[in-house]
Tab-separated table of all heavy atoms in Angstrom:
chain	number	residue	atom	x	y	z
A	9	MET	N	-66.238	139.679	3.039
A	9	MET	CA	-67.106	139.749	1.828
A	9	MET	C	-66.254	139.652	0.583
A	9	MET	O	-66.475	138.892	-0.353
A	9	MET	CB	-67.891	141.040	1.850
A	9	MET	CG	-68.650	141.243	0.567
A	9	MET	SD	-69.338	142.874	0.525
A	9	MET	CE	-69.765	143.077	-1.155
A	61	GLU	N	-69.537	126.385	-25.991
A	61	GLU	CA	-70.735	125.855	-26.584
A	61	GLU	C	-71.217	126.615	-27.797
A	61	GLU	O	-71.183	127.913	-27.781
A	61	GLU	CB	-71.869	125.816	-25.507
A	61	GLU	CG	-71.512	124.900	-24.393
A	61	GLU	CD	-72.638	124.867	-23.278
A	61	GLU	OE1	-73.694	125.525	-23.506
A	61	GLU	OE2	-72.510	124.151	-22.345
A	85	ALA	N	-77.850	148.620	-12.361
A	85	ALA	CA	-77.834	148.677	-13.806
A	85	ALA	C	-76.519	148.120	-14.412
A	85	ALA	O	-75.401	148.175	-13.828
A	85	ALA	CB	-77.783	150.284	-14.220
A	120	SER	N	-93.566	144.435	9.088
A	120	SER	CA	-94.669	144.690	8.123
A	120	SER	C	-94.241	145.911	7.264
A	120	SER	O	-94.491	145.857	6.064
A	120	SER	CB	-95.960	144.945	8.919
A	120	SER	OG	-96.944	145.354	7.928
A	134	LEU	N	-89.264	144.470	-11.353
A	134	LEU	CA	-89.739	143.588	-12.372
A	134	LEU	C	-90.443	144.358	-13.491
A	134	LEU	O	-90.431	143.980	-14.668
A	134	LEU	CB	-90.694	142.541	-11.735
A	134	LEU	CG	-90.026	141.442	-10.900
A	134	LEU	CD1	-91.088	140.461	-10.421
A	134	LEU	CD2	-88.927	140.716	-11.652
A	169	ALA	N	-79.216	133.004	-20.931
A	169	ALA	CA	-78.102	132.779	-21.825
A	169	ALA	C	-77.595	131.383	-21.681
A	169	ALA	O	-77.032	130.826	-22.610
A	169	ALA	CB	-77.031	133.744	-21.532
A	171	GLU	N	-79.496	128.640	-21.114
A	171	GLU	CA	-80.407	127.657	-21.467
A	171	GLU	C	-80.011	127.115	-22.774
A	171	GLU	O	-79.257	127.591	-23.526
A	171	GLU	CB	-81.836	128.207	-21.572
A	171	GLU	CG	-82.379	128.663	-20.212
A	171	GLU	CD	-83.820	129.080	-20.293
A	171	GLU	OE1	-84.313	129.341	-21.377
A	171	GLU	OE2	-84.490	129.287	-19.213
A	189	MET	N	-88.628	129.038	-7.635
A	189	MET	CA	-89.027	129.064	-8.931
A	189	MET	C	-90.547	128.762	-9.082
A	189	MET	O	-91.161	128.281	-8.180
A	189	MET	CB	-88.206	128.030	-9.753
A	189	MET	CG	-88.349	126.553	-9.265
A	189	MET	SD	-87.463	125.448	-10.420
A	189	MET	CE	-85.827	126.105	-10.459
A	221	PRO	N	-91.947	129.012	1.336
A	221	PRO	CA	-93.172	128.376	1.589
A	221	PRO	C	-93.262	126.925	0.950
A	221	PRO	O	-94.274	126.264	1.187
A	221	PRO	CB	-94.218	129.285	1.019
A	221	PRO	CG	-93.518	130.033	-0.079
A	221	PRO	CD	-92.050	130.138	0.457
A	262	GLU	N	-103.624	133.686	-13.304
A	262	GLU	CA	-104.236	134.291	-12.150
A	262	GLU	C	-103.336	135.167	-11.301
A	262	GLU	O	-103.841	135.761	-10.335
A	262	GLU	CB	-104.812	133.121	-11.271
A	262	GLU	CG	-105.945	132.323	-11.918
A	262	GLU	CD	-106.490	131.208	-11.047
A	262	GLU	OE1	-105.960	131.120	-9.928
A	262	GLU	OE2	-107.363	130.511	-11.557
A	402	ALA	N	-42.696	102.144	-6.350
A	402	ALA	CA	-41.740	102.778	-5.404
A	402	ALA	C	-41.042	101.710	-4.487
A	402	ALA	O	-39.968	101.919	-4.035
A	402	ALA	CB	-42.409	103.874	-4.642
A	422	GLN	N	-55.853	98.961	-5.082
A	422	GLN	CA	-56.357	100.311	-5.380
A	422	GLN	C	-55.276	101.327	-5.431
A	422	GLN	O	-54.167	101.097	-4.870
A	422	GLN	CB	-57.404	100.728	-4.371
A	422	GLN	CG	-58.263	101.911	-4.689
A	422	GLN	CD	-58.893	101.791	-6.061
A	422	GLN	OE1	-58.398	102.286	-7.047
A	422	GLN	NE2	-60.080	101.108	-6.191
A	423	TRP	N	-55.490	102.377	-6.209
A	423	TRP	CA	-54.515	103.465	-6.212
A	423	TRP	C	-54.148	103.923	-4.793
A	423	TRP	O	-55.005	103.994	-3.950
A	423	TRP	CB	-55.005	104.653	-7.009
A	423	TRP	CG	-55.506	104.299	-8.409
A	423	TRP	CD1	-54.790	103.656	-9.387
A	423	TRP	CD2	-56.755	104.637	-8.963
A	423	TRP	NE1	-55.552	103.477	-10.520
A	423	TRP	CE2	-56.790	104.102	-10.311
A	423	TRP	CE3	-57.863	105.353	-8.559
A	423	TRP	CZ2	-57.800	104.336	-11.192
A	423	TRP	CZ3	-58.947	105.501	-9.412
A	423	TRP	CH2	-58.919	104.978	-10.683
A	456	PRO	N	-39.791	114.615	7.270
A	456	PRO	CA	-40.232	114.315	8.619
A	456	PRO	C	-40.965	112.874	8.594
A	456	PRO	O	-41.775	112.598	7.731
A	456	PRO	CB	-41.309	115.353	8.861
A	456	PRO	CG	-40.906	116.501	7.991
A	456	PRO	CD	-40.309	115.883	6.722
A	490	ALA	N	-44.196	88.882	13.576
A	490	ALA	CA	-43.362	88.517	14.805
A	490	ALA	C	-41.840	88.274	14.392
A	490	ALA	O	-41.610	87.914	13.273
A	490	ALA	CB	-43.981	87.282	15.409
A	499	ALA	N	-40.097	99.036	10.784
A	499	ALA	CA	-40.878	100.125	10.208
A	499	ALA	C	-40.024	101.401	9.987
A	499	ALA	O	-40.202	102.092	8.959
A	499	ALA	CB	-42.097	100.423	11.094
A	506	LEU	N	-37.836	104.245	1.964
A	506	LEU	CA	-38.829	104.777	1.061
A	506	LEU	C	-38.737	106.252	0.911
A	506	LEU	O	-38.903	106.804	-0.203
A	506	LEU	CB	-40.296	104.494	1.646
A	506	LEU	CG	-41.464	104.920	0.775
A	506	LEU	CD1	-41.423	104.396	-0.647
A	506	LEU	CD2	-42.737	104.543	1.421
A	515	PRO	N	-42.326	107.420	-8.617
A	515	PRO	CA	-42.821	106.921	-9.852
A	515	PRO	C	-44.290	107.203	-10.075
A	515	PRO	O	-45.081	107.219	-9.088
A	515	PRO	CB	-42.546	105.398	-9.809
A	515	PRO	CG	-42.546	105.160	-8.373
A	515	PRO	CD	-41.971	106.345	-7.712
A	521	ARG	N	-52.086	110.159	-17.508
A	521	ARG	CA	-52.802	111.346	-18.157
A	521	ARG	C	-54.210	110.985	-18.550
A	521	ARG	O	-55.076	111.906	-18.694
A	521	ARG	CB	-52.003	111.858	-19.416
A	521	ARG	CG	-50.682	112.498	-18.997
A	521	ARG	CD	-50.035	113.133	-20.237
A	521	ARG	NE	-48.744	113.810	-19.864
A	521	ARG	CZ	-48.744	115.004	-19.441
A	521	ARG	NH1	-49.883	115.750	-19.386
A	521	ARG	NH2	-47.613	115.627	-19.093
A	534	ASP	N	-70.130	120.150	-9.844
A	534	ASP	CA	-70.298	121.705	-9.979
A	534	ASP	C	-70.992	122.180	-8.758
A	534	ASP	O	-71.855	121.580	-8.070
A	534	ASP	CB	-71.200	121.958	-11.202
A	534	ASP	CG	-70.476	121.645	-12.494
A	534	ASP	OD1	-69.284	121.652	-12.446
A	534	ASP	OD2	-71.199	121.392	-13.506
A	550	PRO	N	-62.042	115.818	1.198
A	550	PRO	CA	-61.444	114.500	0.781
A	550	PRO	C	-61.534	113.530	1.938
A	550	PRO	O	-60.852	113.699	2.982
A	550	PRO	CB	-60.063	114.801	0.398
A	550	PRO	CG	-59.752	116.085	1.052
A	550	PRO	CD	-61.041	116.876	1.145
A	553	LEU	N	-57.772	109.566	-0.451
A	553	LEU	CA	-57.147	110.212	-1.566
A	553	LEU	C	-58.033	110.402	-2.818
A	553	LEU	O	-57.896	111.287	-3.598
A	553	LEU	CB	-55.834	109.410	-1.896
A	553	LEU	CG	-54.795	110.142	-2.748
A	553	LEU	CD1	-54.259	111.375	-2.083
A	553	LEU	CD2	-53.692	109.188	-3.090
A	574	LEU	N	-68.071	96.940	-15.416
A	574	LEU	CA	-69.449	97.041	-14.840
A	574	LEU	C	-70.354	96.148	-15.749
A	574	LEU	O	-70.273	96.212	-16.920
A	574	LEU	CB	-69.945	98.449	-14.775
A	574	LEU	CG	-69.231	99.426	-13.820
A	574	LEU	CD1	-69.941	100.712	-13.824
A	574	LEU	CD2	-69.133	98.806	-12.408
A	581	ILE	N	-88.280	99.542	-11.388
A	581	ILE	CA	-89.335	100.340	-10.820
A	581	ILE	C	-89.153	101.838	-11.150
A	581	ILE	O	-88.176	102.471	-10.747
A	581	ILE	CB	-89.395	100.210	-9.259
A	581	ILE	CG1	-89.561	98.711	-8.955
A	581	ILE	CG2	-90.661	100.979	-8.750
A	581	ILE	CD1	-89.375	98.416	-7.476
A	629	LEU	N	-85.061	109.912	4.491
A	629	LEU	CA	-85.883	109.743	3.307
A	629	LEU	C	-86.140	108.308	3.022
A	629	LEU	O	-86.284	107.895	1.839
A	629	LEU	CB	-85.089	110.294	2.116
A	629	LEU	CG	-84.970	111.853	2.040
A	629	LEU	CD1	-84.105	112.280	0.845
A	629	LEU	CD2	-86.241	112.561	2.124
A	637	CYS	N	-82.150	108.207	-4.811
A	637	CYS	CA	-81.560	107.733	-6.124
A	637	CYS	C	-81.444	108.768	-7.230
A	637	CYS	O	-80.530	108.712	-8.021
A	637	CYS	CB	-82.320	106.512	-6.572
A	637	CYS	SG	-82.126	105.066	-5.481
A	638	LEU	N	-82.415	109.715	-7.205
A	638	LEU	CA	-82.304	110.811	-8.183
A	638	LEU	C	-81.057	111.606	-7.866
A	638	LEU	O	-80.360	112.100	-8.845
A	638	LEU	CB	-83.537	111.680	-8.166
A	638	LEU	CG	-83.562	112.898	-9.024
A	638	LEU	CD1	-83.375	112.420	-10.530
A	638	LEU	CD2	-84.747	113.687	-8.906
A	643	VAL	N	-75.795	113.522	-9.489
A	643	VAL	CA	-74.387	113.760	-9.177
A	643	VAL	C	-73.519	112.907	-10.072
A	643	VAL	O	-72.431	113.384	-10.597
A	643	VAL	CB	-74.095	113.472	-7.676
A	643	VAL	CG1	-72.663	113.623	-7.324
A	643	VAL	CG2	-74.897	114.461	-6.816
Side-chain angles (χ1 to χ4, degrees):
M9 175 189 165
E61 296 183 0
S120 177
L134 288 184
E171 291 184 350
M189 61 175 54
E262 295 181 1
Q422 192 51 264
W423 304 308
L506 180 57
R521 291 187 177 275
D534 292 336
L553 198 62
L574 295 185
I581 307 172
L629 293 177
C637 291
L638 178 61
V643 173

